[in-house]
Amino acid sequence: MPKDLLFPSAADEARSHKLKRLVQSPNSYFMDVRCPGCFNITTVFSHAQTVVVCGSCSVMLCQPTGGRARLTEGCSFRKKHEYA
């Protein structure tokens, strides 16, 4: 099956390595995480390497893994948009 290299599909671009894409882009992002206890919103990096706690109630929001940070049960998040 022939593959169009100039116009790859969005699914193919998402699966490929960040440096092998047609236009290089990182896999990481910033996100707003809402604390399940006090509903305070904290900005967290998706690949955080330290434990992030809520500023007001000291509940752990995410814990690091080998790659992406794992959110605590009950935390909701949304990606922050890039503004160029």
Side-chain angles (χ1 to χ4, degrees), residues 11-43:
D12 288 340
E13 283 288 296
R15 265 195 313 263
S16 63
H17 189 268
K18 65 181 181 179
L19 296 178
K20 306 252 180 179
R21 295 181 185 144
L22 200 58
V23 176
Q24 296 179 3
S25 62
N27 295 328
S28 57
Y29 50 90
F30 286 95
M31 55 188 172
D32 286 332
V33 178
R34 178 172 291 160
C35 176
C38 65
F39 300 108
N40 193 11
I41 294 178
T42 307
T43 302

Side-chain angles (χ1 to χ4, degrees), residues 5-75:
L5 297 177
L6 287 178
F7 302 103
S9 66
D12 288 340
E13 283 288 296
R15 265 195 313 263
S16 63
H17 189 268
K18 65 181 181 179
L19 296 178
K20 306 252 180 179
R21 295 181 185 144
L22 200 58
V23 176
Q24 296 179 3
S25 62
N27 295 328
S28 57
Y29 50 90
F30 286 95
M31 55 188 172
D32 286 332
V33 178
R34 178 172 291 160
C35 176
C38 65
F39 300 108
N40 193 11
I41 294 178
T42 307
T43 302
V44 178
F45 187 59
S46 64
H47 291 68
Q49 295 181 346
T50 59
V51 173
V52 178
V53 295
C54 179
S56 60
C57 65
S58 299
V59 170
M60 183 173 60
L61 297 177
C62 71
Q63 55 188 350
T65 60
R68 289 201 175 134
R70 181 178 300 135
L71 290 177
T72 307
E73 195 72 30
C75 288

